[in-house]
Amino acid sequence: MVVELSNPIGSESVRFIELPVIDLLAERSNVSSLIIKACEQFGFFQVINHGVSEDTIAQMEQQGLDFFAKPVCEKQRAGPATPFGYGRKNIGINGDVGEVEYLLLDTNSLSISQRSYSISNDPKIFSSAVNGYIEAVKGLACKILNLMAEGLRVHDASAFSRMIRAVESDSIFRLNHYPPTLCKDNTTKVGFGEHTDPQILTILRSNGVGGLQISLGDGVWVPAPPIPNAFCVNVGDVLQAMTNGRFKSVRHRALTNSYKPRMSMAYFGAPPLHAWLTPPAELVTPQKPLLYRPFTWGELKNASYSLRLGDNRLRLFKI
């Protein structure tokens, strides 16, 4: 069933449709096919039976909630975000703002251990929770990327996942916290504005509070309510380029909740800065010629710094 309502924050519309939920324990070829279909249609899906333990999730969630519950003056000891550390309101360096506070971390275990002293009263417990969570969701991301390669009939099933597994991977981990906000006219606010993720793949989980929406284009937004024990997965710009445009880098945003704080935990799987990004040969044909010139992740990352949050980065590399 599809239900369409006027958007409470403007003239856009909100459409309620069932977004894909994929059981990773189902038959492998069927899982691959469902993932391919979801990436082509939405650039987004949720996964269940993913193999990440409830304890790993709960420990990370508790550490995040404990940090954001601190007084602002204590949280600011972990900032400013340059780019790693604690930040508030400002998103990037080009004037984008939101109703959000965040903690951005490098996924390098030594970096996390060092930074944890400014974040937690018990840095060893914090760094252990973060490192354990990152390893688990990185493994999940690689499993999904391998399924994607199989579904696309790419000969090298690790063509996408090896970039995340690389020691020099530029992956990051971000905790976003959205305090409850309600405007005088009873509308909600945009906590994190419309954008795509520049990396390969994002693995996201929230604390059970809704707010994530994906764009269908033409001002139509689809809520992606959290499902117990599920992870949200969305395609990033790099994966759109590396599938030669077959997958869609999904535009999405986060709204604040009127009554409850929302916290999301997002792992952004990225290649090494020097990694050369171009589709596998199987995805470039006379019928489907190359859409984007080859580029490095460092080039795309630098382009991101020069643009606003909602700008289209890939257009700079389109042939």
Side-chain angles (χ1 to χ4, degrees):
M1 182 176 70
V2 177
V3 180
E4 191 159 337
L5 301 175
S6 61
N7 195 323
I9 63 169
S11 59
E12 305 153 333
S13 64
V14 173
R15 186 177 299 171
F16 293 87
I17 63 176
E18 289 188 16
L19 294 169
V21 179
I22 300 174
D23 184 348
L24 293 185
L25 286 183
E27 197 275 324
R28 188 173 181 89
S29 63
N30 189 44
V31 172
S32 274
S33 297
L34 291 172
I35 288 175
I36 300 302
K37 183 178 178 181
C39 291
E40 291 176 335
Q41 185 174 5
F42 299 109
F44 174 92
F45 55 96
Q46 296 196 54
V47 293
I48 58 174
N49 291 322
H50 40 67
V52 181
S53 76
E54 292 183 17
D55 283 348
T56 298
I57 296 167
Q59 289 173 25
M60 185 65 256
E61 189 171 288
Q62 190 59 57
Q63 290 298 315
L65 292 171
D66 286 349
F67 173 77
F68 289 118
K70 290 182 174 185
V72 172
C73 60
E74 290 188 34
K75 288 183 284 192
Q76 286 177 331
R77 293 200 325 230
T82 55
F84 300 116
Y86 172 73
R88 297 176 68 233
K89 300 285 189 179
N90 293 322
I91 302 171
I93 59 174
N94 295 313
D96 293 295
V97 296
E99 296 297 322
V100 63
E101 57 178 346
Y102 63 90
L103 191 60
L104 183 63
L105 300 171
D106 189 345
T107 56
N108 176 276
S109 59
L110 179 59
S111 172
I112 291 167
S113 178
Q114 293 171 340
R115 192 168 289 277
S116 64
Y117 285 89
S118 65
I119 295 171
S120 173
N121 297 330
D122 197 329
K124 289 186 178 179
I125 290 181
F126 179 85
S127 61
S128 175
V130 174
N131 284 321
Y133 185 85
I134 286 173
E135 279 304 304
V137 293
K138 179 172 74 173
L140 173 59
C142 290
K143 180 192 301 184
I144 291 169
L145 288 168
N146 289 345
L147 285 162
M148 289 175 175
E150 291 174 23
L152 291 168
R153 301 179 185 273
V154 173
H155 178 71
D156 181 1
S158 64
F160 305 137
S161 64
R162 78 159 63 92
M163 294 186 292
I164 289 178
R165 290 197 184 278
V167 175
E168 305 90 356
S169 165
D170 195 43
S171 301
I172 58 175
F173 179 56
R174 182 176 180 124
L175 295 167
N176 284 333
H177 182 251
Y178 305 92
T181 57
L182 186 66
C183 299
K184 293 179 180 179
D185 57 358
N186 290 327
T187 61
T188 55
K189 290 185 176 181
V190 175
F192 205 110
E194 176 182 352
H195 65 287
T196 62
D197 295 333
Q199 295 88 355
I200 303 172
L201 197 73
T202 304
I203 306 290
L204 180 140
R205 184 180 172 88
S206 77
N207 62 331
V209 178
L212 178 64
Q213 294 183 333
I214 69 168
S215 172
L216 297 183
D218 298 324
V220 178
W221 291 93
V222 177
I227 297 173
N229 302 316
F231 281 97
C232 297
V233 182
N234 61 268
V235 173
D237 293 347
V238 168
L239 195 54
Q240 177 172 317
M242 291 200 68
T243 58
N244 204 26
R246 188 163 168 182
F247 288 0
K248 179 197 299 184
S249 182
V250 62
R251 300 189 74 80
H252 54 288
R253 68 183 182 184
L255 304 186
T256 61
N257 188 280
S258 302
Y259 306 103
K260 295 180 180 179
R262 177 176 183 265
M263 186 183 76
S264 64
M265 308 184 295
Y267 168 82
F268 301 92
L273 287 171
H274 57 76
W276 200 246
L277 305 175
T278 193
E282 296 90 339
L283 301 181
V284 182
T285 67
Q287 295 75 32
K288 185 70 173 176
L290 192 64
L291 290 179
Y292 305 98
R293 68 167 178 83
F295 57 90
T296 67
W297 166 238
E299 286 182 85
L300 180 59
K301 187 176 181 179
N302 287 337
S304 300
Y305 288 141
S306 67
L307 300 172
R308 296 293 299 270
L309 180 66
D311 288 344
N312 183 341
R313 308 172 194 90
L314 282 180
R315 65 178 172 78
L316 300 177
F317 304 93
K318 197 159 187 178
I319 295 175

